[in-house]
Amino acid sequence: MNKDTDKLSNRIGEAVMAVLLSAIAALTLFSWLADVAGWPLSSLLSAEGMRRCFSLFGFQWEYPFHTYILLLVVSCGALQYSGLAAMMGRLLSLDRSDGPITLRQRRALFCAGMIWGIYLGFWTMLLMLFRAQLLSVTGRFFPSPFSRTLPFLLTAGILLASVTYGHANNSIRGWSETLRVCYIGICYHAVWFIDCLLLQQLIVLVAFVFQETRY
């Protein structure tokens, strides 16, 4: 695939992603308005609707480890692409070889931290208000619909903080680059999916070789 075809594929994929995200937001708003108006429709913001949403987002593939690898590379890619990972590394190592942290970078860090705090506060409040719907039938946090969805929620929070930092620091510009944050990690770290498949195969082979011989 040449570069022009690759760019065309990415642009089409980004357009489809924008349409799907807009459709989900519009459907959520429409279902809520229809419920308020008394129409015989189910609201996605109701207790039952939220439980259904969490059940869908908390799906597991046949091998859950693949899901976690996917979320991990998406999160790492977002942090790298936005420049937030490099900035966090500079703060933790106190490295100033690239010069002092600029005012724009400080503001971007503050905005990203504030958005992350608001995001955590929102889900904490939601968990408190809809505790019965999001916890298990026995009232436990694990396992529950919320705990199964937690990796996806953390990934979404990292994406949100990365986009906020990127726009505030001017390292991300426009709608296209904003959508790119969601999948750029797969481009950066695609090799880990092959590593995951090979590791899975190795574990199966080791279990076969060292299994107890039966006569």
Side-chain angles (χ1 to χ4, degrees), residues 28-42:
T28 302
L29 179 60
F30 172 76
S31 67
W32 176 72
L33 293 176
D35 182 62
V36 171
W39 295 359
L41 297 176
S42 300

Side-chain angles (χ1 to χ4, degrees), residues 102-132:
T102 64
L103 179 60
R104 169 178 287 182
Q105 291 172 333
R106 293 179 184 276
R107 290 178 177 175
L109 280 173
F110 174 78
C111 291
M114 182 177 64
I115 291 297
W116 178 252
I118 294 175
Y119 182 80
L120 292 181
F122 170 78
W123 286 110
T124 301
M125 181 183 66
L126 199 65
L127 182 61
M128 295 174 62
L129 294 177
F130 296 93
R131 184 178 182 87

Side-chain angles (χ1 to χ4, degrees), residues 1-185:
M1 181 182 291
N2 56 41
K3 292 183 178 180
D4 293 336
T5 306
D6 186 42
K7 290 181 179 179
L8 178 62
S9 176
N10 287 339
R11 289 178 181 176
I12 295 176
E14 290 167 359
V16 172
M17 186 189 303
V19 170
L20 293 176
L21 290 174
S22 300
I24 293 174
L27 180 62
T28 302
L29 179 60
F30 172 76
S31 67
W32 176 72
L33 293 176
D35 182 62
V36 171
W39 295 359
L41 297 176
S42 300
S43 173
L44 291 175
L45 297 181
S46 63
E48 182 181 357
M50 292 184 60
R51 179 182 287 273
R52 177 64 60 86
C53 292
F54 273 77
S55 298
L56 291 176
F57 279 114
F59 76 95
Q60 296 292 326
W61 296 350
E62 183 179 0
Y63 300 101
F65 187 60
H66 296 171
T67 306
Y68 302 141
I69 289 292
L70 174 62
L71 296 177
L72 180 61
V73 300
V74 167
S75 301
C76 291
L79 293 173
Q80 288 178 260
Y81 186 70
S82 64
L84 184 55
M87 180 54 60
M88 292 173 61
R90 289 183 61 187
L91 291 176
L92 293 176
S93 64
L94 300 178
D95 182 14
R96 296 296 182 269
S97 59
D98 295 331
I101 299 177
T102 64
L103 179 60
R104 169 178 287 182
Q105 291 172 333
R106 293 179 184 276
R107 290 178 177 175
L109 280 173
F110 174 78
C111 291
M114 182 177 64
I115 291 297
W116 178 252
I118 294 175
Y119 182 80
L120 292 181
F122 170 78
W123 286 110
T124 301
M125 181 183 66
L126 199 65
L127 182 61
M128 295 174 62
L129 294 177
F130 296 93
R131 184 178 182 87
Q133 287 75 22
L134 299 183
L135 297 183
S136 65
V137 293
T138 59
R140 296 182 178 180
F141 177 79
F142 184 85
S144 68
F146 187 84
S147 65
R148 288 194 296 269
T149 317
L150 191 58
F152 296 87
L153 297 180
L154 292 176
T155 302
I158 292 174
L159 292 177
L160 185 60
S162 299
V163 168
T164 302
Y165 176 85
H167 279 285
N169 192 41
N170 205 29
S171 56
I172 295 178
R173 305 180 183 89
W175 181 246
S176 178
E177 293 189 4
T178 300
L179 293 178
R180 199 168 300 156
V181 173
C182 300
Y183 69 86
I184 195 67

